[in-house]
Amino acid sequence: MPPMLWLLLQLAAPVLGFYFSISCPSGNQCQQALLSGNDILLYCNSSGAHWYYLFTQGEKGTLTSLTNISNMEIMPEGSLLIKDPLPSQTGLYHCWNKNDRQVVQYEIDFQDVATLHVTHKGLGQRPLENETLHLGSKELIFTRWEPWQDCNHCEEPGERKRLGYCYVEEHLEEAMPCWLYLGDVQVWSSRLRPELQVEACHVHCTNNTQLKMNYVIFDSFRLDEETEFVWLSCPLGSIYR
């Protein structure tokens, strides 16, 4: 084993990962666009809860239990943890309590992070323009932007980012995330993808601005035995913040 890898393993310690938490009022149905490959937590405050899903892509049918899906875990308090979600796991997620009554329902669109369109305002790069999709009527494809995230430095030049998700809107209809809208419809357009925009920023430091650490820490790694490259994951990192 390479000496540097051995040293890193000696410094490693268990750390609770960062999970982007999505919540929905009890008894409601909530819709959310997210990115694939980034862990999320679907909140359900119901001890003894069980979850069912209905994926909108591929085979369709009745609601199916999530207990046998390897990247999903029901937490003790009832919430659903989805690790490294796939675009194919776009669909409906239902949380039921121990009395077999639905507590909450999520409509989740996991948009493919591998197709992310990245631009930097300081370089004069422009986000994707709106386009029209023809599926029997003129549907508008556009990006719905999230608020700007925090600057990554303080008291010195830094950068901040914001995420944008692909949405489709029909005339006089409410807009929907692209793949929740399309379902099994086979269509290709370079406009059907999420976005990330970056810009320069400069902010003053506060007590909550930065998390200071004196050493590197990680909770997982992958070693490529052929090339001897090591891939490290940042346990507190997330594209959502």
Side-chain angles (χ1 to χ4, degrees):
M1 180 180 294
M4 182 55 70
L5 176 58
W6 180 88
L7 177 60
L8 288 173
L9 289 174
Q10 299 307 306
L11 291 174
V15 174
L16 179 63
F18 174 80
Y19 305 127
F20 185 62
S21 181
I22 308 296
S23 62
C24 184
S26 180
N28 284 25
Q29 176 178 319
C30 296
Q31 190 179 91
Q32 182 79 38
L34 298 166
L35 287 179
S36 67
N38 291 268
D39 298 353
I40 67 155
L41 189 75
L42 298 181
Y43 182 75
C44 180
N45 185 19
S46 179
S47 179
H50 43 282
W51 286 78
Y52 298 94
Y53 72 92
L54 178 62
F55 293 158
T56 58
Q57 301 175 14
E59 295 184 3
K60 292 185 178 181
T62 58
L63 292 177
T64 307
S65 174
L66 291 171
T67 54
N68 295 322
I69 300 183
S70 60
N71 68 330
M72 299 187 188
E73 178 184 353
I74 300 176
M75 308 302 284
E77 78 282 1
S79 298
L80 178 66
L81 173 62
I82 307 179
K83 297 182 178 180
D84 195 18
L86 303 172
S88 60
Q89 291 175 326
T90 289
L92 312 182
Y93 292 80
H94 303 254
C95 177
W96 293 58
N97 61 22
K98 58 185 178 182
N99 297 320
D100 289 329
R101 299 188 63 178
Q102 181 170 292
V103 179
V104 66
Q105 175 181 318
Y106 293 91
E107 298 181 358
I108 303 295
D109 185 347
F110 289 116
Q111 303 194 1
D112 192 354
V113 71
T115 66
L116 194 66
H117 180 72
V118 182
T119 55
H120 197 299
K121 292 183 69 175
L123 300 178
Q125 298 169 342
R126 300 179 62 84
L128 297 172
E129 296 183 354
N130 296 351
E131 287 188 11
T132 301
L133 186 67
H134 296 277
L135 293 175
S137 60
K138 291 184 178 180
E139 297 87 359
L140 179 68
I141 311 173
F142 68 98
T143 296
R144 177 170 289 178
W145 291 99
E146 295 288 302
W148 286 101
Q149 298 176 12
D150 293 336
C151 195
N152 64 350
H153 291 292
C154 62
E155 303 298 348
E156 61 183 51
E159 291 180 326
R160 63 177 185 171
K161 65 182 185 290
R162 64 172 178 169
L163 293 170
Y165 298 99
C166 178
Y167 271 73
V168 175
E169 184 177 42
E170 287 187 48
H171 180 61
L172 299 180
E173 297 290 338
E174 186 175 351
M176 290 183 63
C178 286
W179 283 270
L180 282 176
Y181 176 87
L182 292 171
D184 272 341
V185 176
Q186 299 296 317
V187 61
W188 185 90
S189 169
S190 60
R191 183 59 183 82
L192 291 168
R193 51 178 169 163
E195 297 195 68
L196 184 146
Q197 189 175 40
V198 182
E199 73 170 5
C201 56
H202 194 286
V203 298
H204 295 294
C205 290
T206 66
N207 292 334
N208 298 323
T209 300
Q210 290 183 321
L211 174 64
K212 297 185 180 298
M213 300 182 70
N214 296 323
Y215 53 88
V216 176
I217 188 168
F218 63 91
D219 66 351
S220 63
F221 71 95
R222 186 172 74 252
L223 174 64
D224 188 317
E225 296 181 356
E226 295 183 1
T227 64
E228 296 187 351
F229 287 135
V230 179
W231 294 87
L232 306 180
S233 65
C234 178
L236 298 180
S238 172
I239 199 169
Y240 296 120
R241 65 174 189 178

